[in-house]
Structure formats: structure tokens, C-alpha cells
């Protein structure tokens, strides 16, 4: 029974920690979602704000240039700390990413929110842990577990942020376990990750009453041999799309770094291009999160090129230095690409939109199980098999370069030769 | 694009292999389920057959004693081959486990079916691969991948068997990846595992029209702080139950090995006890798979001691040498234990039955994600969070001894101290 007593101690300890972290991170996500909602609606009713996007770029770029060196790596910084615990994430990460993301959205940049939620979660959790361990240290507790526990606490912060910003606790749980290493998952932190995700999601939805968009897969189909092959084809296309998105974002980033030596100017130039193109082409459907277009993609045919437009505007927005996440744009790109594919692939339109929604994200983030669970949480268990085919095939075709440059390759995606270690 | 071409080659190769393996294993499962159904109904209408259980034990024990030395380790043999590829599983495993399981059920032994399905799947897949590689070798293809591919093919066989016997393709996919090592999962075989599971399930359900029992969680509840803690308590109890079941089965096994030196006699003696007790106590609800009692446990209160009765009869049946699986009895034990717990835990009866159904299995098999997915596939996404809490908490409390003795501990379940490697 010794192991059970250790388990009991472990569960109680992490339940208490997760209540605190989950409450704080869930509240931060709720505040962020409300702020984002306000920014989105305010911009929609004041479209001239887009003309100020270059100025917003100067502010965002300037903030990170002058004060943000220690937190500029964002999600990658969290992933690196997960891989090798070195030092506490500066708490500064949280207000900086929050403010700059809201600015990005207020002025019409094309970006997401998961990066923000995950960075807020990671920074808050890590600092709460630091304060807590100082406090318990003063109270006389030993602290030999600090580096190990820090990895768990970062996982809790990431899962709490992800779960609460999307309303998908199981996806958050697995995302935080999956994201650090491609092709490998370990279970040491599985319970803390689950508790952080559940509690943060509960706090956001039930304490602060901040809800999430519902997407409906209106038409199901059964799996037959032909639909299996079509679904795999769609998944492969989603994977290539995820790869293309990651490459394009990296390419814009490198382009601006080479051409513009003064960092705050990068987002100004990016902002000029985004603003002119958004307004010139009346392309406002590509600004901000784009949730209305995502909803539309589940209901009727959208422009066949919407996925290209969103890829262009988001990679340019983020690559030039604006802030936010990649994930909601990836949902947008996936849902509209799935919608477009429904003209040639004989699967229901809303099902293909759902498969793309999570499938492109799966390829770009290399987290196939988290994305499968997210698809089930958002679209229901009826679509589960098609969702899984999409996410796993996409993962296989998206290569080893994802949106998170710091991910380590822990396992071959498509092993054709003997390797030394399998398990 | 080189990696994508390798991926394409990998996907096409494994799709073709999985079509063959999935068809054969799905067909075997369908045949097995029909045979099991026949045996169960025949016994139910000829209850005197239970008196012949000792004779059945002699036959089952004798078959394995005289002809089965090379396949007697069953599931553990597959797990060991996954860990270290040494030699092809004898095809003999398949007819032996099939025949002896049907005999066990026909004469009223208390056992399951997943062990049988998984062993049939593993043996068939491994031998199909052997023939295939001999054939392609004659055709001039190189075979330097044989040991590596064998592990993937075994995973495909296990996932195909598991998925088709329960009608849960995603659970089968993850079960085969999770089962070999406690606390670790690698993704090299994730697509083949998914394809094997989906195709075998399709063949069983849609080609042969062999369906599965539906369990209904009639009453949902929302997660609030108190219900989270209650759900964790239930999960911990399910984990301890899983551990107790595993220990009791091992204990009966050791007892018979020590006391009875002639192996075929063990199941005779076990059969005498099981038959006398089943008939003497009118305890037929503990014989066979017990599906009707599982269904009942979702609908109304069952005997509070049903989980103890089933634990006793199954551990005695399997520990003395009868054949079958442990999983359906674990579903039975979990569903009835959850049902009993509903008298003290304020969660809906059918939800607690569902949580126990997968939760006890999760603890006994150390496969928390597979069990969570199984819960979602069987009971729907509405129960997903409660299911996950149950499966993951149970996994934490069930210790490192599960029903599969050959599992390696790859990660600490409740790490309280720094360990060298995390990911």
C-alpha cells in the first residue's frame, strides 16, 4: 500500500496546487476572452481602426523590443523549459502577451488566442509555484523536488490555459503532455494536467460565465472503405496545409529579420501591408480571429480561396511581430479548406469542415491525440473516427517543422527502417 | 518533401497491410463473438452444463498442458514481443485460445473475451506478416525492417482484435500503443494502429453484421467542485479495485501452482468449486460474461456485493487455468461497484456505473487514455470529463501490478521526487 499512500499524497498536493493555478489561469483566460470579444466587436463597428494597424505594430514591436527580451520566445520558451528546467518564466510574460494580443486584434491583425492563453497560463503557474515554494521553504518544507515539480507546474499552466480558452479540458490535458516532444508522451503529469484543465475550464465557464462558440456538424456519415480513403486523403492535405502554414510564418519572420534591422519597424511595415490589403480587397473576413467565417464554413460553401487568404494574412501578421496565437487561424484555415475540399471529396461539408478544423492544427502543432480529443469535445463522439483519421494522417504528413520551433523530435513519424529504440 | 514521400510510402504500405490484417482479425472477432453468443445462450437454457465445468477444466487445462507450452503466456507473450522482438507468435495461439474460451463460457466459467480477441489478433497479424515477408522476400524485396515492422504489426493485431471485439476503434488504437509500457506512449505505430482498429471494427460490424451491446448513461450531471472531488474519490476506489482484482487473479494462480502439481487438474478443481458455488448459491449472474448484469447496473440498483461476487468467480476461474479475458469481468465489476457507490456518492447511478465500467479496467490494465476513449465511444462525449477523471485517478491508485504481468514500468505514476528523465 506504500505506493497508494504516495499516490494519495501526490493527488492531494496537486489538487490543492491545481485549485489555485486553475482559478488564476481560468480567471485570466476569462478576462482575456472578454477583452478579445470587446476588441473584436469594437473594431467591427469602427473599421477605420484598421488604418491604425501600423501604429499598433509600432507599439507591439516597441513593447517587446524594449521590455520583452526575456519573454519574447513565447510558447517556445515554455516548451524549452519543459524539456530542460532552467529558470522561472518572468511574470512579465503574462501582461505583455495579453496587452499586445488585444492590441493586435483591436486594430484588425489576423491572429489567434491560444498562444496568449498558454503563455499566460505558463507564466502564472510558474510564478505561483515560485512564490509557493518560497513560502513553504520559509515554513520549513524541503525543496528537493523543485526542478521536477516545475515541469509539472508548467504542464498544469499550459493545460489550464489551453483548456479554458477553448472550453476543451481533455484536449488541454493531452496537449500539455504532447507538445514538448514530437512522437512521445509520458504520463507523470497526467493527473495534474487533467486537474488544471478541468478547474480552469470550470472557473472560466461557470464562475465567470464566459462561454465558447459552438460548432455543429449537421450531417454525419458512416465509415465505409471509400470514405476511409477519402478521409485519409483529406487528412494528408490538412497535414501539408499545416506544414505550409508553419513554413510561411517562419519565412515571413526570417524575411523581416533580414530586411528590417530595427525590430519595432517590422510590425509597422507588416501592419501597413496588412491594412492596405485588408481594406483594398475588402478582405475583412481575414482579420482578427475570424470566428464568424469558421461558423459559416460548417453551414454553407465559403470562398474556395478563404484558406489561402487566412494563411497569407495570419503568417504576415504574426511573422512581422504582432502577437496572438496561431491556433484559431489554423481552425479557420482548416475549416475553410475542408469546406472547399467538399467540392471534390464526397464527404459531408460540415464533417469536412470539422476534420479540417482540428486536422490542420494537428499537423502544425504535432499533437494528434490532443486534436482528436478536441474534435470529440467540440463536435461530439459521432464524428470521432473521421476526426481521428484526419488528425493522425495530418500528423504523419506535416513533417518535423511545426509552429513550435523548439519541439524536439522524439520519434519517427513514418519509420521505414529499423530503429534502435521503439518504446 | 522527402519526408512526405516517405510518409506516403509508409501510409500506402500500412494501409494495404491493415486491410488484410483488419479483414482477417475482424472476421475472427466476428466468428468469436457469434460463437460466444451461442455458447452463452446455450448454457443459459441448459443450466445443468455448469455441472460439467470440472470436465471442461480438464479439457482446457489438458489442451494447454500438452500442446500449448509455446502459447500459454497469452497476452503477456504479446507484450514481451512488443518490448523485445524475438520470434513469431505461433499461429496455434489463435485456435487454442478461441476453442478454450468458448468451452469456458459454454460450461459457465466466469471470464471475458478481450484476452481472446487480442491473442487471436496478435497471432494472426504476426503470421500474416511472416508469410507476407517470405513472399516479398522471394519476389526480391529487402527485409531489413523485419524486427521493427514486427512490432508495428503486433500493435496492429492487438488494436484490431481489441477494437473489433468491443466496437471501439479509438480505444483499440490507443490500447495497443499504451499497453506495453506503463506511463509512456510512442507514436511510431499510431497510424497503422488506427487503420487496423478501424478496418477490423468495420469488418466485424458492417461486413459480418455482428454488433455490440449498447450501454446508456441516462442521467448526466455537470462538473462542480464537489462533484470533482467525489469523482476523484470514485476513481481512487476503482483503482484499488483494479489492483485487488489483479492481485487476486495472480494469487489464485500461485495457489493452484503450489498445491496442484499436475496442471490439467488445476482447472478441474477450480471448476468443481466454481460449479458448486454458482449452483449452490444460485449465483448464475456471476457466470460467463455477465452482460445482462452490466446492462442492469446502468438502469437500477443491483446487489451491493455483485462486484465482490464477480471478482471472486472470475479470479478463481482464470487463476485455476480457464481461458478468456479479464476485461468484460472488469467492466462488470466496475459497473456494479459504481452502482453500489451511488448509494454514498452523490452522482447519478448510470454515470457512476459508466465511470466504474472503464475506471476499474483502467486501473487493472494501466491504460488510462485508451479507457477514457472507450468511455467516450461507448457512453458519448457528454460524460467525457467524468470518465477521464475516473480513468486517470484509477490509474494513479492501482499500483504497478496490473493484470498484465509483463508490463514494464516506464514512468512513475505519482512522482514526488526528482527523477532523471522526464520526457
Amino acid at each position: 500500500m506504500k505506493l497508494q499512500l504516495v499516490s494519495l499524497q501526490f493527488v492531494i498536493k496537486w489538487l490543492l496546487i491545481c485549485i489555485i493555478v486553475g482559478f488564476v489561469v481560468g480567471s485570466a483566460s476569462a478576462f482575456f476572452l472578454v477583452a478579445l470579444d470587446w476588441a473584436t466587436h469594437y473594431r467591427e463597428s469602427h473599421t477605420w481602426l484598421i488604418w491604425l494597424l501600423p501604429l499598433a505594430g509600432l507599439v507591439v514591436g516597441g513593447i517587446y523590443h524594449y521590455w520583452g527580451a526575456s519573454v519574447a520566445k513565447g510558447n517556445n520558451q515554455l516548451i524549452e523549459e519543459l524539456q530542460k528546467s532552467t529558470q522561472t518564466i518572468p511574470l512579465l510574460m503574462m501582461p505583455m502577451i495579453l496587452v499586445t494580443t488585444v492590441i493586435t486584434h483591436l486594430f484588425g491583425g489576423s491572429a489567434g488566442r491560444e498562444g496568449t492563453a498558454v503563455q499566460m497560463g505558463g507564466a502564472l503557474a510558474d510564478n505561483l509555484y515560485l512564490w509557493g515554494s518560497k513560502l513553504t521553504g520559509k515554513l520549513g518544507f524541503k525543496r528537493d523536488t523543485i526542478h521536477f515539480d516545475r515541469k509539472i507546474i508548467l504542464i498544469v499552466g499550459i493545460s489550464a490555459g489551453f483548456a479554458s480558452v477553448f472550453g476543451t479540458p481533455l484536449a488541454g490535458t493531452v496537449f500539455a503532455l504532447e507538445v514538448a516532444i514530437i512522437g512521445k508522451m509520458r504520463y507523470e503529469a497526467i493527473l495534474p494536467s487533467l486537474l488544471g484543465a478541468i478547474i480552469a475550464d470550470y472557473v472560466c465557464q461557470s464562475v465567470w460565465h464566459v462561454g465558447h462558440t459552438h460548432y455543429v456538424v449537421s450531417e454525419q456519415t458512416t465509415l465505409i472503405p471509400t470514405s476511409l480513403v477519402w478521409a485519409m486523403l483529406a487528412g494528408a492535405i490538412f497535414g501539408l496545409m499545416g506544414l505550409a502554414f508553419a513554413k510561411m510564418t517562419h519565412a515571413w519572420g526570417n524575411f523581416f529579420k533580414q530586411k528590417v534591422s530595427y525590430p519595432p519597424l517590422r510590425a509597422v511595415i507588416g501592419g501597413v501591408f496588412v491594412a492596405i490589403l485588408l481594406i483594398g480587397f475588402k478582405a475583412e473576413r481575414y482579420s482578427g480571429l475570424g470566428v464568424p467565417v469558421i461558423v459559416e464554413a460548417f453551414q454553407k460553401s465559403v470562398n474556395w480561396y478563404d484558406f489561402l487568404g487566412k494563411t497569407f494574412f495570419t503568417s504576415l501578421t504574426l511573422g512581422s511581430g504582432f502577437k496572438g496565437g496561431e491556433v484559431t487561424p489554423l481552425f479557420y484555415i482548416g475549416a475553410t479548406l475542408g469546406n472547399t475540399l467538399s467540392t471534390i471529396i464526397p464527404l459531408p461539408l460540415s464533417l469536412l469542415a470539422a476534420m479540417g478544423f482540428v486536422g490542420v492544427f494537428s499537423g502544425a502543432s504535432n499533437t494528434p491525440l490532443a486534436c482528436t480529443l478536441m474534435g470529440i469535445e467540440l463536435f461530439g463522439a459521432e464524428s470521432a473516427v473521421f476526426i481521428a483519421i484526419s488528425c493522425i494522417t495530418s500528423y504523419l504528413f506535416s513533417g518535423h517543422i511545426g509552429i513550435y520551433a523548439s519541439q524536439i523530435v522524439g520519434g519517427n513519424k513514418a519509420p521505414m527502417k529499423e530503429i534502435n529504440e521503439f518504446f
Side-chain angles (χ1 to χ4, degrees), chain A:
Chain A
M1 292 303 283
K2 200 168 156 249
L3 187 70
Q4 276 68 36
L5 290 176
V6 174
S7 287
L8 187 64
Q9 207 185 333
F10 180 84
V11 169
I12 293 173
K13 168 180 161 180
W14 284 101
L15 179 60
L16 294 176
I17 295 175
C18 288
I19 288 172
I20 299 170
V21 173
F23 183 81
V24 175
V25 175
S27 302
S29 287
F31 179 81
F32 170 56
L33 287 172
V34 170
L36 209 53
D37 209 42
W38 168 81
T40 303
H41 283 112
Y42 194 84
R43 190 218 341 116
E44 280 169 0
S45 51
H46 302 77
T47 42
W48 53 267
L49 280 171
I50 293 179
W51 288 116
L52 299 182
L53 190 62
L55 191 66
L58 186 67
V59 174
V60 170
I63 288 179
Y64 270 89
H65 181 61
Y66 290 106
W67 299 292
S70 64
V71 296
K73 288 169 83 180
N75 284 12
N76 286 316
Q77 200 163 340
L78 295 175
I79 290 173
E80 285 167 20
E81 286 294 321
L82 278 182
Q83 290 157 355
K84 190 166 172 52
S85 170
T86 53
Q87 55 176 3
T88 299
I89 306 283
L91 184 58
L92 186 67
M93 179 183 270
M94 188 243 162
M96 286 194 66
I97 189 71
L98 175 62
V99 169
T100 54
T101 302
V102 174
I103 292 176
T104 299
H105 282 274
L106 180 61
F107 296 95
S110 172
R113 51 193 168 178
E114 131 286 345
T116 314
V118 164
Q119 288 175 44
M120 291 199 303
L124 286 170
D126 207 6
N127 282 279
L128 285 170
Y129 179 70
L130 183 69
W131 302 330
S133 63
K134 277 184 186 161
L135 186 70
T136 52
K138 280 184 187 155
L139 295 175
F141 287 94
K142 272 191 295 182
R143 283 163 59 199
D144 60 343
T145 61
I146 188 153
H147 285 289
F148 180 69
D149 275 358
R150 254 205 82 219
K151 292 191 178 180
I152 301 188
I153 203 87
L154 281 171
I155 288 177
V156 171
I158 292 170
S159 76
F162 190 98
S164 54
V165 85
F166 293 126
T168 53
L170 300 190
T173 303
V174 173
F175 178 82
L177 298 175
E178 252 184 339
V179 72
I181 314 262
I182 299 177
K184 226 169 158 181
M185 194 190 328
R186 289 177 69 99
Y187 286 16
E188 277 86 353
I190 191 169
L191 185 84
S193 189
L194 175 72
L195 292 176
I198 287 177
I199 294 169
D201 177 47
Y202 171 79
V203 168
C204 184
Q205 293 208 51
S206 300
V207 175
W208 301 114
H209 301 290
V210 176
H212 304 278
T213 312
H214 289 279
Y215 307 96
V216 180
V217 177
S218 53
E219 207 185 335
Q220 302 290 342
T221 183
T222 51
L223 193 89
I224 53 171
T226 50
S227 61
L228 168 64
V229 175
W230 283 117
M232 288 175 72
L233 177 67
I237 294 169
F238 296 142
L240 295 174
M241 188 66 234
L243 174 66
F245 177 89
K247 285 206 167 179
M248 229 171 132
T249 306
H250 295 315
W252 279 118
N254 292 334
F255 172 81
F256 279 104
K257 261 177 213 154
Q258 280 170 10
K259 301 289 176 190
V260 187
S261 58
Y262 181 62
L265 207 59
R266 292 172 195 158
V268 176
I269 298 172
V272 168
F273 278 108
V274 171
I276 289 175
L277 293 170
L278 277 181
I279 294 173
F281 285 97
K282 293 192 187 302
E284 278 153 35
R285 64 196 279 112
Y286 305 121
S287 67
L289 290 170
V291 172
V293 180
I294 304 179
V295 172
E296 205 185 318
F298 282 82
Q299 294 163 346
K300 57 178 193 206
S301 287
V302 295
N303 304 323
W304 71 265
Y305 50 80
D306 274 348
F307 69 99
L308 293 175
K310 189 68 179 173
T311 302
F312 174 79
F313 280 106
T314 303
S315 59
L316 178 56
T317 299
L318 296 177
S320 70
F322 285 94
K323 294 292 164 177
E326 297 90 349
V327 178
T328 308
L330 286 169
F331 293 162
Y332 181 125
I333 294 165
T336 53
L337 175 56
N339 186 296
T340 299
L341 287 178
S342 74
T343 54
I344 47 168
I345 291 183
L347 291 173
L349 180 143
S350 60
L351 181 63
L352 271 167
M355 288 165 65
F357 184 109
V358 286
V360 173
F361 172 38
S362 172
S365 64
N366 292 306
T367 58
L369 286 185
C371 291
T372 300
L373 283 166
M374 176 171 236
I376 293 171
E377 290 183 296
L378 292 177
F379 313 122
E382 298 72 27
S383 318
V385 168
F386 283 96
I387 293 291
I389 296 168
S390 173
C391 292
I392 291 172
T393 313
S394 167
Y395 163 80
L396 231 79
F397 278 92
S398 72
H400 290 144
I401 298 162
I403 50 175
Y404 309 120
S406 295
Q407 279 180 329
I408 292 173
V409 180
N412 202 329
K413 288 186 172 188
M416 292 294 278
K417 289 217 174 159
E418 187 162 3
I419 53 172
N420 290 327
E421 192 204 19
F422 189 82
F423 282 105

